[in-house]
Amino acid sequence: MKQTFTKVAAGKYFIYFLWFGLSLFFVAKTVTSHQSLNNYLIFKHNFLNVLHQLDLYTPQPEYYYDRNHYGPIFSLIIAPFALMPDSVGVILWVMFNAAILFAAIKSLPIKTNQSNLIILLCANELVGSSMYFQFNPSIAAFIILSFYFIVNKKDFWAALMIAFGTMTKLYGIVGLAFFFFSANKPKLILSLIFWFAVLLVIPMLYSSPSFILQTYHNWYYDLIAKNAENLNAKMQDISVLGMIHRVFNNKWNNIYILIPALMLFALPYLKINNYRYSNFRLLLLASVLIFTVIFSSSAESPTYIIALPGVGIWFMTLRRPVSGFDIFLLVFAIVITSFSPSDLFPQAINLKYIQPYKLKSLPCFIIWLKIIYEMFTRDFAVEENKQPQLS
């Protein structure tokens, strides 16, 4: 018994080390070596610009390069960190993002060892996101937590997750995909109205109503311009959209790809009788997390911290024993999606094939197609006959 406890504890601490220790190491290394904190400075000035009522989407090359593309409510999230010295704020910011995603994965209705394996699968992707001080781990957490709160009949808090995710980076709106799992849909709708109104007003308290309303108007046009820029950006559009454009050397309008993709995504909703089964719900969560990234023209390499938890959730819900093809797909995702940007992957292949053709999205795309197939063909009633069902 004592040996078993020791092994469990050692495994838990190893998970903690990988998840938090590696991110802490790389962000601390960046700070101590006085490297650029560019993305963090963009985030910090989102708060400062809201506070001083300066346009959020005008370049400020005196402070950072690139531009801010987040909504004004993001200023509330970054404010506690922005008020600290940069060297402290950026470290705590990275740890905050790691912690919220860790908690979200741990909230999943799966066994502890399964959630630990998902964390292991995503650890390298988290490092890549942390090195660029990204907010994407929190976006992934908002999506997962919106799922968690809905299936646990806490629609009021699910609405907060959806509203926060939407009003910061738009991605959070995909939390609405879990609407049909809600046991109290009117409450969820009213809660959404409440939280969107509250989050609209809050920045006005430390700025001004007219400025915040104008900022949302400006944000709309900024996102349109950003979408157009993504089509020709080397490190953007790392998606199925970008992959198709470059592999086939075409200039198709993205709508011709997105409409069939949306139809495929919606197909499993026809299986209404499966809504009550845990594995079906988890597969939809996996589909949402992956779809959000692989069909976004704004997807870049660190954005895949949103998609990789979806890959992990898919693998943990597979029928046992797992097929050789499923194991191949998981390894394919680990090698190409997670490790291709790292020094552990042959850079000649990465620079010649993976980056130019946006192939980082390919494993996730194949897995997403298989998720849709499984949601439509598996007998979840038989699978979960002896397991507790989510009501």
Side-chain angles (χ1 to χ4, degrees):
M1 179 67 72
K2 184 177 180 181
Q3 288 181 338
T4 301
F5 176 79
T6 302
K7 288 181 180 179
V8 171
K12 180 178 72 172
Y13 290 126
F14 178 66
I15 294 292
Y16 287 164
F17 168 74
L18 278 181
W19 192 257
F20 295 103
L22 292 179
S23 291
L24 177 60
F25 171 78
F26 282 105
V27 69
K29 181 181 177 182
T30 299
V31 170
T32 55
S33 60
H34 305 290
Q35 297 178 37
S36 171
L37 305 180
N38 185 70
N39 283 343
Y40 176 73
L41 294 176
I42 292 175
F43 299 157
K44 173 182 176 178
H45 280 83
N46 180 292
F47 167 71
L48 296 177
N49 289 338
V50 167
L51 188 65
H52 299 295
Q53 300 184 37
L54 301 174
D55 183 24
L56 269 63
Y57 311 108
T58 299
Q60 294 180 298
E62 66 273 27
Y63 300 118
Y64 53 81
Y65 59 89
D66 207 341
R67 302 197 315 274
N68 169 62
H69 300 292
Y70 287 75
I73 191 59
F74 180 74
S75 62
L76 179 67
I77 301 174
I78 194 66
F81 309 96
L83 294 172
M84 300 177 186
D86 289 346
S87 58
V88 176
V90 70
I91 292 175
L92 294 179
W93 170 249
V94 167
M95 291 296 98
F96 164 77
N97 279 274
I100 191 171
L101 180 53
F102 185 93
I105 293 173
K106 282 295 185 179
S107 76
L108 293 169
I110 56 179
K111 297 176 181 178
T112 299
N113 65 326
Q114 292 177 319
S115 62
N116 285 345
L117 287 172
I118 293 174
I119 288 169
L120 281 174
L121 171 65
C122 299
N124 181 66
E125 205 64 39
L126 178 72
V127 169
S129 180
S130 298
M131 289 174 66
Y132 293 97
F133 324 117
Q134 292 278 351
F135 184 57
N136 290 316
S138 289
I139 294 294
F142 287 149
I143 297 171
I144 295 171
L145 290 174
S146 65
F147 170 86
Y148 166 80
F149 286 125
I150 284 177
V151 300
N152 285 279
K153 301 180 180 179
K154 299 178 180 180
D155 298 83
F156 183 73
W157 299 114
L160 174 59
M161 296 297 101
I162 295 169
F164 237 135
T166 303
M167 297 180 75
T168 51
K169 200 180 177 180
L170 291 188
Y171 282 176
I173 199 170
V174 299
L176 292 174
F178 315 123
F179 177 82
F180 294 106
F181 297 159
S182 171
N184 193 340
K185 296 176 181 63
K187 180 180 178 180
L188 178 58
I189 293 171
L190 291 175
S191 298
L192 285 167
I193 295 171
F194 171 80
W195 282 117
F196 273 106
V198 168
L199 297 182
L200 175 66
V201 170
I202 285 178
M204 298 178 182
L205 301 178
Y206 49 89
S207 185
S208 75
S210 60
F211 174 78
I212 295 302
L213 293 175
Q214 181 62 46
T215 296
Y216 276 106
H217 178 268
N218 294 346
W219 191 30
Y220 171 76
Y221 288 102
D222 173 76
L223 292 176
I224 291 177
K226 181 67 166 58
N227 183 64
E229 293 171 8
N230 290 339
L231 299 178
N232 298 310
K234 181 180 179 182
M235 303 307 292
Q236 300 283 340
D237 201 14
I238 302 177
S239 64
V240 173
L241 307 173
M243 181 177 64
I244 291 175
H245 290 321
R246 284 154 184 81
V247 169
F248 295 101
N249 193 27
N250 65 68
K251 297 294 182 181
W252 294 342
N253 189 315
N254 283 340
I255 199 69
Y256 296 119
I257 304 171
L258 289 174
I259 288 179
L262 285 167
M263 292 174 65
L264 275 176
F265 174 81
L267 200 60
Y269 282 103
L270 297 175
K271 307 287 284 187
I272 297 173
N273 291 335
N274 286 335
Y275 287 5
R276 64 184 182 273
Y277 297 114
S278 177
N279 280 350
F280 181 85
R281 293 179 173 188
L282 285 167
L283 281 175
L284 181 64
L285 172 59
S287 173
V288 168
L289 289 166
I290 296 172
F291 181 92
T292 301
V293 177
I294 66 173
F295 290 104
S296 169
S297 64
S298 294
E300 51 189 353
S301 186
T303 315
Y304 277 78
I305 189 58
I306 300 173
L308 258 291
V311 171
I313 292 167
W314 158 75
F315 193 79
M316 295 309 152
T317 60
L318 286 171
R319 288 170 294 189
R320 266 47 182 178
V322 179
S323 71
F325 180 62
D326 289 326
I327 293 173
F328 165 77
L329 288 179
L330 179 67
V331 173
F332 190 35
I334 292 172
V335 173
I336 302 299
T337 300
S338 185
F339 280 94
S340 63
S342 74
D343 293 336
L344 299 176
F345 190 86
Q347 286 304 293
I349 297 176
N350 184 39
L351 295 174
K352 189 173 182 179
Y353 298 106
I354 306 298
Q355 283 189 18
Y357 295 103
K358 315 296 182 180
L359 295 180
K360 184 179 172 84
S361 65
L362 180 60
C364 289
F365 177 50
I366 298 174
I367 289 171
W368 178 75
L369 290 175
K370 192 166 189 303
I371 288 171
I372 301 301
Y373 173 78
E374 289 180 15
M375 292 180 73
F376 218 75
T377 59
R378 280 167 58 175
D379 191 336
F380 294 96
V382 171
E383 290 180 27
E384 302 190 20
N385 186 42
K386 297 181 180 180
Q387 299 178 16
Q389 297 176 10
L390 296 173
S391 58

